Amino acid sequence: SGRLLALMEQCKPTEIRVNMDGSVDTIEAGSDLDGGIPTEDPITGGSLSAHGRTCPKTGERIHVSYNSAAAPFGRVDIFEKDWKLKRSIPIDELDCSVMLHDCAITDKYAIVLDFPLTIRTDRMFLQNKFPVEYEPEHGARIGLVRRDDGGPTQWFDVKPGVVLHTANAFE
């Protein structure tokens, strides 16, 4: 779509331009992509993930994002080629906020990782601690979210651990 975005975990993107001399200009800081992403506050996040995927067949851009304060704690956002929001799908059965840092996609699904890097704002505000913590007792699951209409997330239990990035996925 001709837009170049600088992305940071759970923040609104910044639209930039790289000039021929290598310098970078900010076009719009804190963009909501013309209303396509929520205007969440910087404490709870929920704006846009740092890592999305582009479907090679449809050109859609798929991002998973989380909200650290309230349910639904996660969602899958599907954007058209021009960054217009096509649909936002809540990720069901997340009982707390977890770091949904990355995703993988197939033709039919967005793959989400419900791993035990939990995010609890009370740690930061009430305990003066970093809000992200490894809680293996939370368990770990891989979820399949249908890209077409959402529907219930299909969950598969896995051994607790941490996976921040994906490489590929196949049906």
Side-chain angles (χ1 to χ4, degrees):
S1 71
R3 291 175 119 171
L4 180 59
L5 302 177
L7 301 173
M8 183 180 148
E9 186 77 20
Q10 294 309 103
C11 292
K12 292 179 186 177
T14 295
E15 188 172 351
I16 61 173
R17 176 180 51 238
V18 179
N19 300 304
M20 295 298 288
D21 65 0
S23 63
V24 177
D25 292 330
T26 298
I27 305 300
E28 183 181 2
S31 172
D32 69 356
L33 299 177
D34 304 319
I37 58 173
T39 53
E40 301 287 341
D41 67 72
I43 302 299
T44 61
S47 291
L48 192 67
S49 63
H51 303 287
R53 298 286 178 239
T54 301
C55 177
K57 291 184 178 177
T58 66
E60 294 173 328
R61 184 77 179 165
I62 294 97
H63 281 259
V64 295
S65 296
Y66 56 84
N67 184 317
S68 58
F73 292 108
R75 70 176 195 279
V76 175
D77 292 329
I78 301 174
F79 295 90
E80 298 284 358
K81 293 178 189 179
D82 61 358
W83 282 102
K84 299 289 184 211
L85 184 65
K86 184 175 184 178
R87 77 174 112 323
S88 187
I89 305 166
I91 301 170
D92 59 354
E93 299 181 35
L94 286 176
D95 61 356
C96 73
S97 184
V98 295
M99 185 172 279
L100 297 172
H101 182 72
D102 194 6
C103 68
I105 62 170
T106 68
D107 289 345
K108 295 180 185 174
Y109 298 98
I111 293 90
V112 296
L113 307 173
D114 178 16
F115 282 78
L117 273 182
T118 62
I119 303 164
R120 301 185 194 273
T121 53
D122 63 325
R123 287 185 191 121
M124 183 169 51
F125 295 118
L126 302 177
Q127 302 171 21
N128 198 29
K129 293 170 62 177
F130 191 66
V132 179
E133 193 171 290
Y134 181 67
E135 291 184 61
E137 62 277 7
H138 172 78
R141 307 177 296 173
I142 296 173
L144 301 179
V145 178
R146 291 190 60 85
R147 289 176 44 194
D148 57 0
D149 62 358
T153 303
Q154 296 177 42
W155 290 108
F156 302 90
D157 292 331
V158 295
K159 193 176 190 177
V162 175
V163 176
L164 292 178
H165 298 105
T166 62
N168 213 336
F170 300 92
E171 290 180 24

